[in-house]
Amino acid sequence: MVRRPVAWVAAIVLFVEAIGIALLNWFLGVVVDRQDMSLAGLDSDMMSVSSKVGGLVFGLYFALCGVAALLVAVRDRAPGLFGRILLFSAAVVHGLLGAFTVGLVGWGAFVFMMVALGLIVFTLLAFDRGAGPADAAPGEGAGGEDGSGGTNGDANGGTNGGTGGSPITAPPTPSAS
């Protein structure tokens, strides 16, 4: 299946973006510092420091998202709640950055952002929480290990495919009296 390699590629792309964003903002901070100019009365040293700190924070955020995608690829299962939130927020950020970069940078940057967005969304959707690992036995319910869809005949899952309701029964036959 292609879901593990896509998760690996998504992790690599997020790590490369983390380094790229951090270096770009660091470079912009150095440029502002060497210009020694003010923008609407703002202190140039403050702009330089804030650019560098913002780049490091944004780079660490992308690196953390890359770790979440890497864990998905290594474990071959869906991310936990924190990982899903991270990857979902990274998808939103890539959508917004793609919208901004098409006008500011050009179509090449837009295509890169959309490819990264596609990799993240595919990683989120391919590892559905109910599907479990790829090597799961075909007779297991769709609910996974949380007891909501097992085939053990309990009151929650039953043997009807894990829907959580009662098993389907035939309607009563009418009496002849």
Side-chain angles (χ1 to χ4, degrees), residues 65-79:
C65 293
V67 168
L70 184 66
L71 289 175
V72 168
V74 168
R75 294 177 181 167
D76 194 23
R77 63 181 174 155

Side-chain angles (χ1 to χ4, degrees), residues 27-39 44-45 47-48:
F27 173 74
L28 290 175
V30 169
V31 168
V32 168
D33 195 31
R34 290 189 182 165
Q35 289 293 321
D36 199 29
M37 294 169 55
S38 173
L39 179 70
S44 63
D45 291 332
M47 289 190 306
S48 172

Side-chain angles (χ1 to χ4, degrees), residues 129-141:
R129 297 286 280 157
D135 55 353
E140 293 181 9

Side-chain angles (χ1 to χ4, degrees), residues 1-7 72 76-79 84 118-134:
M1 202 158 208
V2 294
R3 64 187 196 169
R4 283 185 87 179
V6 169
V72 168
D76 194 23
R77 63 181 174 155
R84 289 181 78 79
L119 290 170
I120 294 168
V121 169
F122 185 84
T123 301
L124 281 170
L125 293 178
F127 291 92
D128 190 18
R129 297 286 280 157

